[in-house]
Amino acid sequence: MLTLFSLLTALPAVLALHLLEPELVLPVFSLLLFAEAAFAVIAARLIHVSEDADHITLWDLAGGFTLIGCAAAVFGEPDQAALFLTEQGGPRPSSRP
């Protein structure tokens, strides 16, 4: 389960680094991790695991994805998220120093 968590965290990070502009990496990575957390929660609800499990469960994965997604959102700046949500072909407003 830990290997699965590592792969599902590292793969989007590597893809985002190679496919996106540097200022868009953290907002997109944050959104991807929140989506992965949502999928992990849905899977955890469908697969009922006893609450006294000693091993890593899907609930743990969902919490880890959420925690890392929140950290990526905090470290990203708001103007980067706004850049991601604006139209790519339209003119961009000039930023003030």
Side-chain angles (χ1 to χ4, degrees), residues 44-96:
R45 293 289 292 172
L46 293 176
I47 302 170
H48 298 287
V49 179
S50 63
E51 294 182 12
D52 60 344
D54 293 333
H55 303 290
I56 296 174
T57 64
L58 288 171
W59 291 108
D60 298 325
L61 289 180
F65 289 140
T66 303
L67 180 67
I68 297 171
C70 287
V74 167
F75 286 124
E77 296 180 16
D79 59 336
Q80 293 174 352
L83 178 65
F84 178 67
L85 297 174
T86 60
E87 287 186 45
Q88 298 297 325
R92 296 183 182 166
S94 61
S95 61
R96 296 181 181 175

